Amino acid sequence: MAQPNDHGHSHHQSPGHHPNPAENPSQGNGASHPAVAIQRQPHHRQHQHRSGSARAFRWSVILNSGLSALQLGIGFGFGSLALIGDAVHNLGDVAGLLLGWGAERLSSRAPNERFTYGFGRSTQLASLANAVLILMASAVVLMEGIKRLGASTEIISTPVAWAAAAGIVVNLFSARLFGHDNSHDLNRRAAVIHLLGDAAVSGAVLVSAIVVGITHWYWLDAATGIAVGLAVAWSGWGLLRDAMQVALDAVPPGIEMAAVDQALRHLPGVLDVHHLHVWGMSTSQIALTAHVVRRPLEVDDMALLHQAKVRLAEIGIAHSTIQLEPPS
Ligand SMILES: [Zn+2]
Ligand SMILES: [Zn+2]
C-alpha cells in the first residue's frame, strides 16, 4: 500500500505508478501535477456518467421488464412468434442493463491483494455473457420461425397489435429519458439510437399484426418473427465481437499504435522501443507496457520516465509500465 508521504517521491517512480484516488485520498493535492490531472479524467467522467444516468437506468429496467413480461404473455397466449421475438430482444436489453450495472458497481471497487488490476474487466465479462444469451435466444426464435413458416399457426392479432404498440410507446419514452440529460455523451447517444431501433422493431410487429388481422396471412407472423430474430442475432453478434476484442487484449478504439510508438521514440535519448503492448483494463482505463532502449550516460532516467508518462497521458494511456534498457 502507498505511504502517506509517497506524494513527495511520485516524480521519481516509474510511470507505471498510478495512485488510485479512491484508495488514498491524502494524495488529493497531486492533481496539480499535469500528468496526474490528465490521468484522473477517466475516473471522473465515469462517475459523472453513473450518477447522471441513474434515473434513466432505473426507469428503463422497470419499463422494459414490464414490457417483456406483457409481450411474452400475449405472444404465447395468442400464438405470435413476432411478438415473442420482440420480447426476447427486450429481455436481452434488461439483462444487459442489469449485468452492466452489476459490473460497473464491481469495477468501481478498489484493487486488492488478490485482484491487483481491480475489477474493470467485469464489464467486458458481462457483455460477453449477455451476447451469448442473446445469440442463444435468437437461435430459438429463428428455429421456431422456420418451423412455423410451413405450419402456418393461427394467431389472434388484436392483443398482439396492442402489445406491439406498448413496445413502441415504452421504447420512445425510454429514448426520451436517455436523450434528455446529456446528449453529447457518446454512450448516451448510442443508447438513444438503440431504443429508437427497438421502437421500429415493435412498429414492424404492429404492422404485421394488423395485416394478419385483415388478411389472415398467418405465415406473415412467422416471417416477421424470423426478421426480428435476425435483428436480435445481429445485435448479439456485434456485442460478442466487441467483447471478444477486449478479451483478446486488442488495442482499444481511439488509440493509434503508430502514434504511441512515435511518442516514445521521439523522447530525447531514446534509441529503440520494443515489446510495446497496449490494452484496455476497463472501459475507461488503458494500460501500456514497453521496453525503451536509451543512451544511459546522456539521459536522466527519471526525467525520461516523467516525460514518457506525460506524453502517454496526453494520448489517453493512464496506466503505463516502462522498462529502461541499455543499448546492446
Ligand atoms: Zn433493444
Ligand atoms: Zn527489451
Side-chain angles (χ1 to χ4, degrees):
M1 283 293 112
Q3 297 298 309
N5 63 350
D6 168 78
H7 174 64
H9 297 284
S10 64
H11 289 224
H12 304 282
Q13 301 223 349
S14 93
H17 177 72
H18 175 235
N20 185 338
E23 201 174 53
N24 194 352
S26 71
Q27 282 195 329
N29 54 356
S32 57
H33 189 296
V36 175
I38 292 163
Q39 285 184 3
R40 285 195 179 163
Q41 274 178 8
H43 292 283
H44 187 56
R45 231 182 277 136
Q46 203 180 23
H47 286 301
Q48 273 184 336
H49 174 71
R50 194 179 305 149
S51 58
S53 61
R55 197 178 70 105
F57 169 82
R58 200 169 51 234
W59 275 105
S60 207
V61 168
I62 292 169
L63 287 172
N64 268 297
S65 309
L67 177 65
S68 307
L70 176 82
Q71 290 185 328
L72 273 183
I74 291 183
F76 277 109
F78 299 96
S80 169
L81 182 70
L83 195 60
I84 293 170
D86 199 12
V88 161
H89 170 87
N90 287 319
L91 270 181
D93 283 356
V94 173
L97 284 166
L98 289 176
L99 282 167
W101 173 74
E104 210 173 319
R105 288 205 53 144
L106 195 59
S107 65
S108 69
R109 274 167 53 170
N112 60 35
E113 290 193 358
R114 186 162 163 76
F115 296 95
T116 58
Y117 278 109
F119 299 87
R121 281 281 175 90
S122 55
T123 34
Q124 272 79 43
L125 279 177
S127 48
L128 195 62
N130 195 30
V132 170
L133 283 175
I134 287 172
L135 284 173
M136 278 162 53
S138 67
V140 171
V141 170
L142 285 174
M143 270 152 49
E144 183 65 22
I146 290 162
K147 212 171 82 187
R148 281 194 190 190
L149 264 184
S152 105
T153 319
E154 204 166 309
I155 73 159
I156 299 165
S157 56
T158 309
V160 173
W162 280 111
I168 299 174
V169 171
V170 165
N171 283 306
L172 287 181
F173 181 69
S174 301
R176 250 205 74 155
L177 273 182
F178 272 98
H180 204 64
D181 306 324
N182 187 358
S183 48
H184 296 296
D185 189 317
L186 263 180
N187 286 330
R188 202 68 68 81
R189 276 192 54 190
V192 170
I193 289 166
H194 177 121
L195 288 163
L196 291 178
D198 289 1
V201 169
S202 294
V205 176
L206 174 63
V207 169
S208 146
I210 291 171
V211 172
V212 170
I214 295 167
T215 62
H216 297 276
W217 294 342
Y218 293 124
W219 57 266
L220 182 62
D221 183 76
T224 307
I226 289 173
V228 172
L230 284 174
V232 175
W234 179 251
S235 73
W237 169 248
L239 207 58
L240 183 70
R241 205 187 41 206
D242 290 352
M244 285 306 288
Q245 277 176 7
V246 179
L248 292 173
D249 285 330
V251 175
I255 299 286
E256 286 272 0
M257 278 309 273
V260 176
D261 188 69
Q262 285 305 307
L264 291 176
R265 276 178 200 279
H266 284 161
L267 292 172
V270 170
L271 296 170
D272 183 44
V273 175
H274 58 271
H275 283 306
L276 180 59
H277 302 291
V278 176
W279 72 101
M281 293 198 301
S282 69
T283 44
S284 61
Q285 278 252 39
I286 299 171
L288 168 148
T289 59
H291 291 192
V292 173
V293 181
R294 87 297 190 212
R295 295 192 190 90
L297 298 175
E298 292 169 35
V299 176
D300 175 356
D301 285 346
M302 293 310 157
L304 176 62
L305 287 174
H306 179 67
Q307 277 177 292
K309 184 175 178 167
V310 173
R311 280 295 293 126
L312 291 172
E314 281 166 6
I315 293 172
I317 298 168
H319 194 123
S320 51
T321 307
I322 291 176
Q323 171 167 311
L324 295 178
E325 293 176 351
S328 49

